[in-house]
Amino acid sequence: MPAALMVAASYFLLLTPPISAFLVGGTSTVLSRGSLSVATSSLQMTATNGARIDQHEETKDDDNYDVVKVDLTDGRDYPIYIGTSFTDEQISETLTSHIHGKQALIITNDKIAPMGFLEKYEKLLAPHKEVHTLVLPDGESNKNLEILQLILDKALEEKLDRKCTLIALGGGVIGDMVGFAAAIYQRGVDFVQIPTTVMAMTDSSVGGKTGVNHPLGKNMVGAFHQPQCVFIDTDSLSTLPDRELQSGIAEIIKYGLIRDRDLFEWLEVNMEKLLNRDPEATRHAVKRSCENKAEVVKADEKEAGVRATLNLGHTFGHAIESGSGYGTWLHGEAVAIGTAMATTMSAQMGWIDNELVKRTYKLLEKAKLPTDLPLDSPMNREIFLKYMAADKKVANGQLRLILLKGALGNCVFTGDFDQEAMIDTIDEFVAECSGAQ
């Protein structure tokens, strides 16, 4: 049996210390391995001991890649392959083992296609499968129903059947749209993620969130649809623009803040290596992020509770993306500002100390990420509140936020926060913006 197939059959077993979670003003519960908390107005995550993730690694001959398992129910588990210097044979064997039908459609964008990635994967799969390709326009502004329609049109034109596999080759925009197309084409077909950005590798390609933007809100039209596998070749990051590299690091910092103290402290020491694309540092950061994401998805696949904590900074950040116009900010840049806002608000309520605020701002700035809005920003209090009111985490008319509480590595998902502190934080961040004058 090929090595890739052996690994696909037996991945890493991910184990973490129990995450304590309790409900404020409600029934107490403990979130341990394999259990899920009840949806509530307030949930607290405590990541003791730096949220160390113990792994059982399957013995294999190849040491150029790792495999992290996303452990789900009903036989839907899937592997995340993370490595460098993959041979053509490794790529071909690994991907074809997850394409169960005869037909495959590789979808990428007009920025990735000229770099040779599309030609490479098409060439490696063509001897084994009937391969079709589609190139879409790049950018967040094209993550909409109109562009999604192009994927469905192509699938129908090529007479792809229910056994086909759609392959997302690109960043978060491509991954989200292709996954959504797979979820709705003929009521659901397989898809594979091949992420090419740090953002996609560490966050969006894992966990099955798919969708497109709507003029009234980001990612408001979509579905949960898990991939057959995620194939991460970190060599592809060599062509990634510096700005997009930095944007993706925002999601890695997030894991450190909400549940993995050790990762945060590692980033404080190794940020320069990440920015310089050091292979070992990159592989470590991507792997650790995927382990964190896989553990949370296992506990709460459809974001009924603990998975919402992965959205630290996103409620503010999505408002910035929508209010500024899609494409003005990269997703990670908006999330970085949102994280600064969530950290500031947490400190205003006395939930974290000022030392953690300083460390958070310092690490974001070390990653060359923005921590405030520019003078020409159109954002103001009204725009923030308009888009935050439409956030997916609103329940029964109540806005819920992910905020930091306690020591590094701890957070809460709650609607029980000081509204004045939120307004004060927004006002502080928009004070000098042109939109607030």
PDB file of all heavy atoms in Angstrom, residues 79-113:
ATOM      1  N   PRO A  79      -7.648  13.865   6.931  1.00  0.00           N
ATOM      2  CA  PRO A  79      -6.298  14.280   7.296  1.00  0.00           C
ATOM      3  C   PRO A  79      -5.925  15.652   6.746  1.00  0.00           C
ATOM      4  O   PRO A  79      -6.418  16.076   5.704  1.00  0.00           O
ATOM      5  CB  PRO A  79      -5.425  13.202   6.639  1.00  0.00           C
ATOM      6  CG  PRO A  79      -6.191  12.852   5.397  1.00  0.00           C
ATOM      7  CD  PRO A  79      -7.654  13.010   5.734  1.00  0.00           C
ATOM      8  N   ILE A  80      -5.028  16.300   7.461  1.00  0.00           N
ATOM      9  CA  ILE A  80      -4.378  17.515   6.975  1.00  0.00           C
ATOM     10  C   ILE A  80      -2.906  17.150   6.792  1.00  0.00           C
ATOM     11  O   ILE A  80      -2.215  16.829   7.760  1.00  0.00           O
ATOM     12  CB  ILE A  80      -4.485  18.672   7.978  1.00  0.00           C
ATOM     13  CG1 ILE A  80      -5.929  18.881   8.440  1.00  0.00           C
ATOM     14  CG2 ILE A  80      -3.924  19.957   7.384  1.00  0.00           C
ATOM     15  CD1 ILE A  80      -6.041  19.808   9.647  1.00  0.00           C
ATOM     16  N   TYR A  81      -2.440  17.164   5.567  1.00  0.00           N
ATOM     17  CA  TYR A  81      -1.038  16.892   5.269  1.00  0.00           C
ATOM     18  C   TYR A  81      -0.284  18.224   5.284  1.00  0.00           C
ATOM     19  O   TYR A  81      -0.670  19.172   4.600  1.00  0.00           O
ATOM     20  CB  TYR A  81      -0.887  16.240   3.899  1.00  0.00           C
ATOM     21  CG  TYR A  81      -1.649  14.945   3.723  1.00  0.00           C
ATOM     22  CD1 TYR A  81      -2.926  14.944   3.169  1.00  0.00           C
ATOM     23  CD2 TYR A  81      -1.088  13.730   4.114  1.00  0.00           C
ATOM     24  CE1 TYR A  81      -3.638  13.762   3.005  1.00  0.00           C
ATOM     25  CE2 TYR A  81      -1.792  12.540   3.956  1.00  0.00           C
ATOM     26  CZ  TYR A  81      -3.067  12.555   3.402  1.00  0.00           C
ATOM     27  OH  TYR A  81      -3.764  11.388   3.247  1.00  0.00           O
ATOM     28  N   ILE A  82       0.798  18.289   6.061  1.00  0.00           N
ATOM     29  CA  ILE A  82       1.556  19.532   6.207  1.00  0.00           C
ATOM     30  C   ILE A  82       3.026  19.219   5.976  1.00  0.00           C
ATOM     31  O   ILE A  82       3.636  18.488   6.759  1.00  0.00           O
ATOM     32  CB  ILE A  82       1.386  20.142   7.610  1.00  0.00           C
ATOM     33  CG1 ILE A  82      -0.088  20.304   7.958  1.00  0.00           C
ATOM     34  CG2 ILE A  82       2.119  21.481   7.718  1.00  0.00           C
ATOM     35  CD1 ILE A  82      -0.350  20.461   9.446  1.00  0.00           C
ATOM     36  N   GLY A  83       3.590  19.757   4.900  1.00  0.00           N
ATOM     37  CA  GLY A  83       4.977  19.434   4.646  1.00  0.00           C
ATOM     38  C   GLY A  83       5.651  20.327   3.633  1.00  0.00           C
ATOM     39  O   GLY A  83       5.115  21.347   3.196  1.00  0.00           O
ATOM     40  N   THR A  84       6.841  19.906   3.241  1.00  0.00           N
ATOM     41  CA  THR A  84       7.651  20.657   2.299  1.00  0.00           C
ATOM     42  C   THR A  84       8.419  19.674   1.421  1.00  0.00           C
ATOM     43  O   THR A  84       8.586  18.502   1.779  1.00  0.00           O
ATOM     44  CB  THR A  84       8.639  21.578   3.054  1.00  0.00           C
ATOM     45  OG1 THR A  84       9.344  22.388   2.132  1.00  0.00           O
ATOM     46  CG2 THR A  84       9.626  20.783   3.878  1.00  0.00           C
ATOM     47  N   SER A  85       8.837  20.129   0.264  1.00  0.00           N
ATOM     48  CA  SER A  85       9.620  19.298  -0.659  1.00  0.00           C
ATOM     49  C   SER A  85       8.910  17.995  -1.006  1.00  0.00           C
ATOM     50  O   SER A  85       9.523  16.922  -1.079  1.00  0.00           O
ATOM     51  CB  SER A  85      11.010  19.003  -0.076  1.00  0.00           C
ATOM     52  OG  SER A  85      11.719  20.191   0.200  1.00  0.00           O
ATOM     53  N   PHE A  86       7.603  18.061  -1.233  1.00  0.00           N
ATOM     54  CA  PHE A  86       6.851  16.885  -1.653  1.00  0.00           C
ATOM     55  C   PHE A  86       7.342  16.428  -3.029  1.00  0.00           C
ATOM     56  O   PHE A  86       7.565  17.243  -3.929  1.00  0.00           O
ATOM     57  CB  PHE A  86       5.354  17.196  -1.748  1.00  0.00           C
ATOM     58  CG  PHE A  86       4.648  17.264  -0.437  1.00  0.00           C
ATOM     59  CD1 PHE A  86       4.335  18.483   0.143  1.00  0.00           C
ATOM     60  CD2 PHE A  86       4.271  16.104   0.231  1.00  0.00           C
ATOM     61  CE1 PHE A  86       3.670  18.554   1.352  1.00  0.00           C
ATOM     62  CE2 PHE A  86       3.606  16.159   1.444  1.00  0.00           C
ATOM     63  CZ  PHE A  86       3.297  17.384   2.020  1.00  0.00           C
ATOM     64  N   THR A  87       7.486  15.122  -3.205  1.00  0.00           N
ATOM     65  CA  THR A  87       7.814  14.590  -4.526  1.00  0.00           C
ATOM     66  C   THR A  87       6.537  14.508  -5.357  1.00  0.00           C
ATOM     67  O   THR A  87       5.422  14.496  -4.822  1.00  0.00           O
ATOM     68  CB  THR A  87       8.431  13.191  -4.420  1.00  0.00           C
ATOM     69  OG1 THR A  87       7.446  12.274  -3.918  1.00  0.00           O
ATOM     70  CG2 THR A  87       9.648  13.202  -3.502  1.00  0.00           C
ATOM     71  N   ASP A  88       6.705  14.439  -6.676  1.00  0.00           N
ATOM     72  CA  ASP A  88       5.539  14.293  -7.545  1.00  0.00           C
ATOM     73  C   ASP A  88       4.751  13.037  -7.187  1.00  0.00           C
ATOM     74  O   ASP A  88       3.516  13.036  -7.209  1.00  0.00           O
ATOM     75  CB  ASP A  88       5.970  14.233  -9.010  1.00  0.00           C
ATOM     76  CG  ASP A  88       6.449  15.579  -9.550  1.00  0.00           C
ATOM     77  OD1 ASP A  88       6.290  16.581  -8.829  1.00  0.00           O
ATOM     78  OD2 ASP A  88       6.964  15.619 -10.679  1.00  0.00           O
ATOM     79  N   GLU A  89       5.462  11.971  -6.856  1.00  0.00           N
ATOM     80  CA  GLU A  89       4.791  10.714  -6.499  1.00  0.00           C
ATOM     81  C   GLU A  89       3.970  10.873  -5.227  1.00  0.00           C
ATOM     82  O   GLU A  89       2.836  10.386  -5.137  1.00  0.00           O
ATOM     83  CB  GLU A  89       5.827   9.601  -6.318  1.00  0.00           C
ATOM     84  CG  GLU A  89       5.197   8.247  -6.007  1.00  0.00           C
ATOM     85  CD  GLU A  89       6.227   7.146  -5.813  1.00  0.00           C
ATOM     86  OE1 GLU A  89       7.440   7.480  -5.767  1.00  0.00           O
ATOM     87  OE2 GLU A  89       5.841   5.976  -5.705  1.00  0.00           O
ATOM     88  N   GLN A  90       4.534  11.553  -4.228  1.00  0.00           N
ATOM     89  CA  GLN A  90       3.794  11.783  -2.988  1.00  0.00           C
ATOM     90  C   GLN A  90       2.518  12.578  -3.249  1.00  0.00           C
ATOM     91  O   GLN A  90       1.453  12.246  -2.727  1.00  0.00           O
ATOM     92  CB  GLN A  90       4.674  12.534  -1.981  1.00  0.00           C
ATOM     93  CG  GLN A  90       5.740  11.694  -1.313  1.00  0.00           C
ATOM     94  CD  GLN A  90       6.603  12.519  -0.375  1.00  0.00           C
ATOM     95  OE1 GLN A  90       6.912  13.681  -0.639  1.00  0.00           O
ATOM     96  NE2 GLN A  90       6.995  11.923   0.740  1.00  0.00           N
ATOM     97  N   ILE A  91       2.633  13.630  -4.040  1.00  0.00           N
ATOM     98  CA  ILE A  91       1.472  14.469  -4.332  1.00  0.00           C
ATOM     99  C   ILE A  91       0.413  13.666  -5.071  1.00  0.00           C
ATOM    100  O   ILE A  91      -0.778  13.678  -4.705  1.00  0.00           O
ATOM    101  CB  ILE A  91       1.888  15.697  -5.169  1.00  0.00           C
ATOM    102  CG1 ILE A  91       2.821  16.595  -4.362  1.00  0.00           C
ATOM    103  CG2 ILE A  91       0.645  16.484  -5.611  1.00  0.00           C
ATOM    104  CD1 ILE A  91       3.445  17.717  -5.178  1.00  0.00           C
ATOM    105  N   SER A  92       0.823  12.955  -6.103  1.00  0.00           N
ATOM    106  CA  SER A  92      -0.110  12.191  -6.920  1.00  0.00           C
ATOM    107  C   SER A  92      -0.815  11.116  -6.105  1.00  0.00           C
ATOM    108  O   SER A  92      -2.042  10.988  -6.135  1.00  0.00           O
ATOM    109  CB  SER A  92       0.635  11.560  -8.095  1.00  0.00           C
ATOM    110  OG  SER A  92      -0.231  10.763  -8.865  1.00  0.00           O
ATOM    111  N   GLU A  93      -0.056  10.333  -5.349  1.00  0.00           N
ATOM    112  CA  GLU A  93      -0.639   9.247  -4.558  1.00  0.00           C
ATOM    113  C   GLU A  93      -1.568   9.782  -3.474  1.00  0.00           C
ATOM    114  O   GLU A  93      -2.649   9.243  -3.237  1.00  0.00           O
ATOM    115  CB  GLU A  93       0.470   8.403  -3.923  1.00  0.00           C
ATOM    116  CG  GLU A  93       1.228   7.530  -4.895  1.00  0.00           C
ATOM    117  CD  GLU A  93       2.232   6.633  -4.187  1.00  0.00           C
ATOM    118  OE1 GLU A  93       2.394   6.777  -2.960  1.00  0.00           O
ATOM    119  OE2 GLU A  93       2.842   5.789  -4.851  1.00  0.00           O
ATOM    120  N   THR A  94      -1.126  10.832  -2.811  1.00  0.00           N
ATOM    121  CA  THR A  94      -1.917  11.380  -1.709  1.00  0.00           C
ATOM    122  C   THR A  94      -3.253  11.935  -2.212  1.00  0.00           C
ATOM    123  O   THR A  94      -4.311  11.601  -1.678  1.00  0.00           O
ATOM    124  CB  THR A  94      -1.139  12.487  -0.981  1.00  0.00           C
ATOM    125  OG1 THR A  94       0.081  11.945  -0.472  1.00  0.00           O
ATOM    126  CG2 THR A  94      -1.955  13.045   0.174  1.00  0.00           C
ATOM    127  N   LEU A  95      -3.208  12.767  -3.230  1.00  0.00           N
ATOM    128  CA  LEU A  95      -4.434  13.393  -3.710  1.00  0.00           C
ATOM    129  C   LEU A  95      -5.381  12.389  -4.356  1.00  0.00           C
ATOM    130  O   LEU A  95      -6.592  12.421  -4.103  1.00  0.00           O
ATOM    131  CB  LEU A  95      -4.104  14.523  -4.675  1.00  0.00           C
ATOM    132  CG  LEU A  95      -3.434  15.754  -4.056  1.00  0.00           C
ATOM    133  CD1 LEU A  95      -3.115  16.787  -5.134  1.00  0.00           C
ATOM    134  CD2 LEU A  95      -4.315  16.373  -2.973  1.00  0.00           C
ATOM    135  N   THR A  96      -4.862  11.491  -5.182  1.00  0.00           N
ATOM    136  CA  THR A  96      -5.752  10.532  -5.847  1.00  0.00           C
ATOM    137  C   THR A  96      -6.418   9.591  -4.845  1.00  0.00           C
ATOM    138  O   THR A  96      -7.524   9.106  -5.093  1.00  0.00           O
ATOM    139  CB  THR A  96      -4.999   9.705  -6.911  1.00  0.00           C
ATOM    140  OG1 THR A  96      -3.850   9.078  -6.314  1.00  0.00           O
ATOM    141  CG2 THR A  96      -4.558  10.578  -8.070  1.00  0.00           C
ATOM    142  N   SER A  97      -5.780   9.364  -3.705  1.00  0.00           N
ATOM    143  CA  SER A  97      -6.397   8.501  -2.690  1.00  0.00           C
ATOM    144  C   SER A  97      -7.638   9.142  -2.072  1.00  0.00           C
ATOM    145  O   SER A  97      -8.442   8.453  -1.438  1.00  0.00           O
ATOM    146  CB  SER A  97      -5.383   8.166  -1.596  1.00  0.00           C
ATOM    147  OG  SER A  97      -5.107   9.290  -0.773  1.00  0.00           O
ATOM    148  N   HIS A  98      -7.797  10.454  -2.267  1.00  0.00           N
ATOM    149  CA  HIS A  98      -8.955  11.159  -1.703  1.00  0.00           C
ATOM    150  C   HIS A  98      -9.949  11.615  -2.787  1.00  0.00           C
ATOM    151  O   HIS A  98     -10.925  12.289  -2.473  1.00  0.00           O
ATOM    152  CB  HIS A  98      -8.486  12.370  -0.895  1.00  0.00           C
ATOM    153  CG  HIS A  98      -7.695  11.992   0.324  1.00  0.00           C
ATOM    154  ND1 HIS A  98      -8.268  11.456   1.455  1.00  0.00           N
ATOM    155  CD2 HIS A  98      -6.356  12.049   0.568  1.00  0.00           C
ATOM    156  CE1 HIS A  98      -7.325  11.205   2.359  1.00  0.00           C
ATOM    157  NE2 HIS A  98      -6.155  11.563   1.841  1.00  0.00           N
ATOM    158  N   ILE A  99      -9.687  11.248  -4.030  1.00  0.00           N
ATOM    159  CA  ILE A  99     -10.606  11.546  -5.128  1.00  0.00           C
ATOM    160  C   ILE A  99     -11.256  10.229  -5.528  1.00  0.00           C
ATOM    161  O   ILE A  99     -10.651   9.399  -6.212  1.00  0.00           O
ATOM    162  CB  ILE A  99      -9.869  12.187  -6.327  1.00  0.00           C
ATOM    163  CG1 ILE A  99      -9.187  13.477  -5.881  1.00  0.00           C
ATOM    164  CG2 ILE A  99     -10.849  12.461  -7.470  1.00  0.00           C
ATOM    165  CD1 ILE A  99      -8.300  14.104  -6.948  1.00  0.00           C
ATOM    166  N   HIS A 100     -12.471  10.006  -5.076  1.00  0.00           N
ATOM    167  CA  HIS A 100     -13.077   8.680  -5.157  1.00  0.00           C
ATOM    168  C   HIS A 100     -13.743   8.393  -6.504  1.00  0.00           C
ATOM    169  O   HIS A 100     -13.906   7.237  -6.883  1.00  0.00           O
ATOM    170  CB  HIS A 100     -14.071   8.501  -4.017  1.00  0.00           C
ATOM    171  CG  HIS A 100     -13.474   8.753  -2.669  1.00  0.00           C
ATOM    172  ND1 HIS A 100     -12.409   8.040  -2.184  1.00  0.00           N
ATOM    173  CD2 HIS A 100     -13.760   9.684  -1.710  1.00  0.00           C
ATOM    174  CE1 HIS A 100     -12.073   8.486  -0.981  1.00  0.00           C
ATOM    175  NE2 HIS A 100     -12.868   9.488  -0.673  1.00  0.00           N
ATOM    176  N   GLY A 101     -14.139   9.426  -7.225  1.00  0.00           N
ATOM    177  CA  GLY A 101     -14.731   9.232  -8.536  1.00  0.00           C
ATOM    178  C   GLY A 101     -13.698   9.408  -9.640  1.00  0.00           C
ATOM    179  O   GLY A 101     -12.499   9.540  -9.391  1.00  0.00           O
ATOM    180  N   LYS A 102     -14.153   9.444 -10.877  1.00  0.00           N
ATOM    181  CA  LYS A 102     -13.255   9.568 -12.021  1.00  0.00           C
ATOM    182  C   LYS A 102     -12.990  11.022 -12.406  1.00  0.00           C
ATOM    183  O   LYS A 102     -12.008  11.313 -13.069  1.00  0.00           O
ATOM    184  CB  LYS A 102     -13.850   8.833 -13.227  1.00  0.00           C
ATOM    185  CG  LYS A 102     -13.966   7.325 -13.046  1.00  0.00           C
ATOM    186  CD  LYS A 102     -14.565   6.686 -14.293  1.00  0.00           C
ATOM    187  CE  LYS A 102     -14.682   5.170 -14.131  1.00  0.00           C
ATOM    188  NZ  LYS A 102     -15.288   4.530 -15.329  1.00  0.00           N
ATOM    189  N   GLN A 103     -13.893  11.936 -11.991  1.00  0.00           N
ATOM    190  CA  GLN A 103     -13.802  13.320 -12.458  1.00  0.00           C
ATOM    191  C   GLN A 103     -13.324  14.273 -11.368  1.00  0.00           C
ATOM    192  O   GLN A 103     -13.705  14.137 -10.198  1.00  0.00           O
ATOM    193  CB  GLN A 103     -15.171  13.788 -12.952  1.00  0.00           C
ATOM    194  CG  GLN A 103     -15.758  12.942 -14.086  1.00  0.00           C
ATOM    195  CD  GLN A 103     -17.218  13.272 -14.285  1.00  0.00           C
ATOM    196  OE1 GLN A 103     -18.022  13.222 -13.348  1.00  0.00           O
ATOM    197  NE2 GLN A 103     -17.580  13.615 -15.517  1.00  0.00           N
ATOM    198  N   ALA A 104     -12.511  15.234 -11.770  1.00  0.00           N
ATOM    199  CA  ALA A 104     -12.038  16.262 -10.837  1.00  0.00           C
ATOM    200  C   ALA A 104     -12.026  17.605 -11.543  1.00  0.00           C
ATOM    201  O   ALA A 104     -11.687  17.702 -12.725  1.00  0.00           O
ATOM    202  CB  ALA A 104     -10.645  15.931 -10.326  1.00  0.00           C
ATOM    203  N   LEU A 105     -12.419  18.633 -10.807  1.00  0.00           N
ATOM    204  CA  LEU A 105     -12.394  20.007 -11.317  1.00  0.00           C
ATOM    205  C   LEU A 105     -11.526  20.842 -10.384  1.00  0.00           C
ATOM    206  O   LEU A 105     -11.867  21.028  -9.211  1.00  0.00           O
ATOM    207  CB  LEU A 105     -13.811  20.583 -11.389  1.00  0.00           C
ATOM    208  CG  LEU A 105     -13.933  22.085 -11.723  1.00  0.00           C
ATOM    209  CD1 LEU A 105     -13.309  22.403 -13.067  1.00  0.00           C
ATOM    210  CD2 LEU A 105     -15.407  22.521 -11.681  1.00  0.00           C
ATOM    211  N   ILE A 106     -10.389  21.312 -10.894  1.00  0.00           N
ATOM    212  CA  ILE A 106      -9.497  22.161 -10.102  1.00  0.00           C
ATOM    213  C   ILE A 106      -9.874  23.616 -10.340  1.00  0.00           C
ATOM    214  O   ILE A 106      -9.889  24.075 -11.484  1.00  0.00           O
ATOM    215  CB  ILE A 106      -8.027  21.950 -10.497  1.00  0.00           C
ATOM    216  CG1 ILE A 106      -7.640  20.474 -10.422  1.00  0.00           C
ATOM    217  CG2 ILE A 106      -7.118  22.780  -9.591  1.00  0.00           C
ATOM    218  CD1 ILE A 106      -6.228  20.184 -10.929  1.00  0.00           C
ATOM    219  N   ILE A 107     -10.185  24.337  -9.255  1.00  0.00           N
ATOM    220  CA  ILE A 107     -10.559  25.745  -9.364  1.00  0.00           C
ATOM    221  C   ILE A 107      -9.506  26.588  -8.665  1.00  0.00           C
ATOM    222  O   ILE A 107      -9.133  26.319  -7.514  1.00  0.00           O
ATOM    223  CB  ILE A 107     -11.942  26.017  -8.742  1.00  0.00           C
ATOM    224  CG1 ILE A 107     -13.029  25.180  -9.425  1.00  0.00           C
ATOM    225  CG2 ILE A 107     -12.304  27.491  -8.852  1.00  0.00           C
ATOM    226  CD1 ILE A 107     -13.504  24.018  -8.588  1.00  0.00           C
ATOM    227  N   THR A 108      -9.008  27.602  -9.355  1.00  0.00           N
ATOM    228  CA  THR A 108      -8.035  28.520  -8.772  1.00  0.00           C
ATOM    229  C   THR A 108      -8.371  29.933  -9.231  1.00  0.00           C
ATOM    230  O   THR A 108      -9.453  30.171  -9.786  1.00  0.00           O
ATOM    231  CB  THR A 108      -6.599  28.116  -9.161  1.00  0.00           C
ATOM    232  OG1 THR A 108      -5.661  28.874  -8.388  1.00  0.00           O
ATOM    233  CG2 THR A 108      -6.341  28.323 -10.640  1.00  0.00           C
ATOM    234  N   ASN A 109      -7.468  30.890  -8.978  1.00  0.00           N
ATOM    235  CA  ASN A 109      -7.731  32.269  -9.406  1.00  0.00           C
ATOM    236  C   ASN A 109      -6.654  32.752 -10.376  1.00  0.00           C
ATOM    237  O   ASN A 109      -5.644  32.083 -10.596  1.00  0.00           O
ATOM    238  CB  ASN A 109      -7.861  33.209  -8.201  1.00  0.00           C
ATOM    239  CG  ASN A 109      -6.582  33.295  -7.386  1.00  0.00           C
ATOM    240  OD1 ASN A 109      -5.482  33.416  -7.921  1.00  0.00           O
ATOM    241  ND2 ASN A 109      -6.719  33.231  -6.068  1.00  0.00           N
ATOM    242  N   ASP A 110      -6.892  33.922 -10.935  1.00  0.00           N
ATOM    243  CA  ASP A 110      -5.986  34.426 -11.975  1.00  0.00           C
ATOM    244  C   ASP A 110      -4.665  34.961 -11.432  1.00  0.00           C
ATOM    245  O   ASP A 110      -3.802  35.396 -12.201  1.00  0.00           O
ATOM    246  CB  ASP A 110      -6.681  35.488 -12.833  1.00  0.00           C
ATOM    247  CG  ASP A 110      -7.258  36.642 -12.021  1.00  0.00           C
ATOM    248  OD1 ASP A 110      -6.904  36.771 -10.824  1.00  0.00           O
ATOM    249  OD2 ASP A 110      -8.081  37.397 -12.561  1.00  0.00           O
ATOM    250  N   LYS A 111      -4.490  34.909 -10.111  1.00  0.00           N
ATOM    251  CA  LYS A 111      -3.190  35.242  -9.534  1.00  0.00           C
ATOM    252  C   LYS A 111      -2.354  33.975  -9.352  1.00  0.00           C
ATOM    253  O   LYS A 111      -1.140  33.976  -9.591  1.00  0.00           O
ATOM    254  CB  LYS A 111      -3.369  35.944  -8.183  1.00  0.00           C
ATOM    255  CG  LYS A 111      -2.061  36.356  -7.533  1.00  0.00           C
ATOM    256  CD  LYS A 111      -2.274  37.033  -6.191  1.00  0.00           C
ATOM    257  CE  LYS A 111      -2.877  38.415  -6.353  1.00  0.00           C
ATOM    258  NZ  LYS A 111      -2.955  39.129  -5.038  1.00  0.00           N
ATOM    259  N   ILE A 112      -2.992  32.897  -8.950  1.00  0.00           N
ATOM    260  CA  ILE A 112      -2.303  31.632  -8.708  1.00  0.00           C
ATOM    261  C   ILE A 112      -1.973  30.911 -10.023  1.00  0.00           C
ATOM    262  O   ILE A 112      -0.884  30.357 -10.192  1.00  0.00           O
ATOM    263  CB  ILE A 112      -3.161  30.708  -7.827  1.00  0.00           C
ATOM    264  CG1 ILE A 112      -3.329  31.306  -6.425  1.00  0.00           C
ATOM    265  CG2 ILE A 112      -2.559  29.302  -7.726  1.00  0.00           C
ATOM    266  CD1 ILE A 112      -2.063  31.396  -5.626  1.00  0.00           C
ATOM    267  N   ALA A 113      -2.911  30.932 -10.959  1.00  0.00           N
ATOM    268  CA  ALA A 113      -2.763  30.159 -12.200  1.00  0.00           C
ATOM    269  C   ALA A 113      -1.452  30.416 -12.940  1.00  0.00           C
ATOM    270  O   ALA A 113      -0.771  29.469 -13.372  1.00  0.00           O
ATOM    271  CB  ALA A 113      -3.960  30.414 -13.113  1.00  0.00           C
TER     272      ALA A 113
END
